Amino acid sequence: MFSLRGFTLLYGPPGAGKTALALRLAAEMGQRVLYIGLYEPKEKVEEKLRYLGLDPSAFAIYDFINVSDYSAVMSAISDAYMSSSPDAVIVDGINYFPQTREAASALYRIFDKPVIAIGEEQTIQTPFAYMADNLIAVEQYFKAGARYRVLRFVKTRLSQPPAVELYFAVVRGGPVVIEHWTSEKVSTKIAAELPMKRAVFAPQAEEAVRALAPFYKRLGIFEGARVADFLCEDPECLRLAAAFMCDYAESAETAMVSTYRILEYMAREAGCSINSSVVSADDLADDKGLEALRDAVGKAKVLYFFGLEEVLAKMGPERVRLVLDFLNAVRPDLAILAVFRGVEPARELVHHFNTVWKLEPKRAVVVKSMFGWPVRDFRVEKKDGVYYLVPE
């Protein structure tokens, strides 16, 4: 994720993901973590650790949820720190202590290893915030029914943060920090070639592309690339998309995820069988849906993602972007072919992709290409079940 030095204060509302972030960050700081719990029992912390894919035996967990004497707790924390010799410390529930300069100073002096303290929103107005080397606000908000988790670096003294603001998701296996994808992240290594059995580019188009981009041995999709296909409502557009999908599936392991079932039948009609999963648009409104999406992709090199128009209609382009950015965060090498049906390639969508196609029954247009395709307009001809794309 990212590393932290000194005394860090994570603060924000309940349920925003503070503890999950702290557990993951501390685990990456060393092999032994001291966890001081002031609001949650040991059993619940161990349950969270297992969900996050962390080994509970690497954590020395002390909970003081039934102790009201803060001086006794402070002394016990000092003893636990000395006996456990941790590489990092988590103090979960900094609001338990008096919000005074004396209490903050006393706690600060106990440790000489990195500390992550977790506090509620009002902690930002206390001496703990003034004392901290790093201040990180952890927030969540809901927009059009979708949940967004955000961490924001308010103050850093000892290291440079990766960004001022980062989205993240809390999923099984650990929190995922979601950085915005850019075309610069696309590799020149082919994830899958296009065998051109069901969808065939005319030789002059293929030659023109290779003249412009010599690293193409055969037309295909690169690792980390994002291609968007904007389809018309005509079933023939779905069949053309299925033809491309089946061709890529013959070149590399391909996953198909859809918000509806129809493409599974189209794939069979095109003559291929691909493992398919349905993750509804409603599910993609929260982290559990992102987790299901990640699991559906598995180790596939290429993802065909159908039905994004439903996510767009229900939650808007911001959610579409976060879903795609999440996929590239967990699998930077994954090539994504995203399909929108009955939607125009508007600007707020196009800039999330390095290549954009608009497909009609008799015509295909390159709306955008990172490599500057020399041919933009194609006539689509169908013969014996094969689609031929011929430059106009």
Side-chain angles (χ1 to χ4, degrees):
M1 296 177 76
F2 50 85
S3 59
L4 295 170
R5 297 163 57 197
F7 193 102
T8 299
L9 175 59
L10 292 180
Y11 66 93
K18 301 185 299 296
T19 301
L21 274 174
L23 291 170
R24 169 61 68 178
L25 288 166
E28 294 180 0
M29 292 177 185
Q31 298 181 343
R32 188 69 172 163
V33 177
L34 171 62
Y35 177 92
I36 304 298
L38 297 156
Y39 290 146
E40 288 189 320
K42 179 179 179 179
E43 294 76 17
K44 192 160 187 176
V45 176
E46 289 176 333
E47 183 181 330
K48 283 186 179 181
L49 288 169
R50 285 188 285 269
Y51 178 75
L52 297 174
L54 300 172
D55 181 5
S57 68
F59 288 73
I61 302 172
Y62 294 79
D63 77 62
F64 298 98
I65 59 175
N66 295 317
V67 182
S68 57
D69 184 348
Y70 105 87
S71 297
V73 169
M74 196 77 80
S75 177
I77 289 174
S78 180
D79 292 343
Y81 180 68
M82 295 299 292
S83 63
S84 59
S85 299
D87 300 304
V89 179
I90 296 173
V91 181
D92 193 352
I94 202 79
N95 296 78
Y96 166 88
F97 298 102
Q99 304 299 291
T100 63
R101 186 180 298 274
E102 291 74 21
S105 179
L107 188 67
Y108 188 88
R109 285 198 302 267
I110 292 174
F111 311 109
D112 58 2
K113 296 290 179 68
V115 177
I116 301 175
I118 303 172
E120 298 171 9
E121 293 166 284
Q122 62 268 30
T123 312
I124 187 63
Q125 300 171 349
T126 70
F128 286 99
Y130 180 82
M131 174 193 69
D133 300 300
N134 307 293
L135 278 178
I136 303 177
V138 182
E139 304 163 353
Q140 68 174 346
Y141 65 92
F142 293 85
K143 182 177 178 181
R147 182 210 294 262
Y148 297 86
R149 300 181 194 264
V150 183
L151 62 92
R152 183 165 46 85
F153 288 84
V154 178
K155 177 177 73 172
T156 56
R157 285 181 182 152
L158 305 177
S159 59
Q160 181 68 25
V164 173
E165 186 175 279
L166 291 167
Y167 287 88
F168 71 100
V170 178
V171 296
R172 179 173 40 82
V176 175
V177 172
I178 305 171
E179 296 185 41
H180 289 322
W181 174 93
T182 65
S183 291
E184 286 74 22
K185 297 179 183 290
V186 179
S187 170
T188 55
K189 182 179 179 181
I190 294 284
E193 293 182 339
L194 186 64
M196 293 198 286
K197 293 183 178 179
R198 301 169 182 84
V200 180
F201 284 95
Q204 62 267 39
E206 194 175 1
E207 290 167 7
V209 172
R210 274 204 297 266
L212 185 69
F215 41 79
Y216 268 118
K217 294 179 180 178
R218 172 176 284 183
L219 298 185
I221 186 168
F222 296 97
E223 291 184 352
R226 287 186 188 172
V227 176
D229 290 342
F230 288 85
L231 308 185
C232 69
E233 296 280 10
D234 193 299
E236 201 61 31
C237 290
L238 281 173
R239 294 189 180 97
L240 176 56
F244 275 109
M245 177 179 64
C246 288
D247 272 4
Y248 278 123
E250 289 191 4
S251 172
E253 185 177 351
T254 300
M256 179 172 69
V257 177
S258 180
T259 56
Y260 48 78
R261 285 279 181 194
I262 190 169
L263 262 299
E264 185 176 343
Y265 307 120
M266 290 290 183
R268 292 176 187 170
E269 184 181 314
C272 71
S273 177
I274 300 176
N275 292 330
S276 64
S277 303
V278 174
V279 180
S280 74
D282 290 336
D283 288 342
L284 289 172
D286 209 344
D287 292 354
K288 282 291 184 184
L290 297 177
E291 182 180 298
L293 178 59
R294 178 200 61 188
D295 294 346
V297 171
K299 297 181 179 179
K301 292 185 176 181
V302 179
L303 168 65
Y304 246 89
F305 198 173
F306 288 93
L308 279 173
E309 69 277 359
E310 294 195 2
V311 179
L312 178 67
K314 291 184 176 184
M315 290 164 269
E318 183 178 0
R319 194 63 185 180
V320 172
R321 176 171 187 165
L322 184 131
V323 169
L324 294 172
D325 285 346
F326 170 82
L327 282 169
N328 284 125
V330 296
R331 283 288 309 280
D333 62 323
L334 182 68
I336 301 173
L337 291 104
V339 178
F340 299 83
R341 191 179 182 197
V343 174
E344 289 297 313
R347 183 176 179 181
E348 64 267 22
L349 294 173
V350 166
H351 72 270
H352 299 328
F353 302 91
N354 59 282
T355 303
V356 176
W357 287 82
K358 184 177 180 182
L359 303 182
E360 299 173 357
K362 301 293 184 181
R363 186 168 176 261
V365 178
V366 180
V367 178
K368 173 185 176 181
S369 171
M370 185 176 72
F371 302 111
W373 271 53
V375 183
R376 292 277 174 171
D377 295 276
F378 293 85
R379 184 174 67 258
V380 179
E381 301 174 354
K382 188 176 182 181
K383 183 179 180 181
D384 298 328
V386 178
Y387 291 92
Y388 295 89
L389 286 81
V390 181
E392 289 192 334

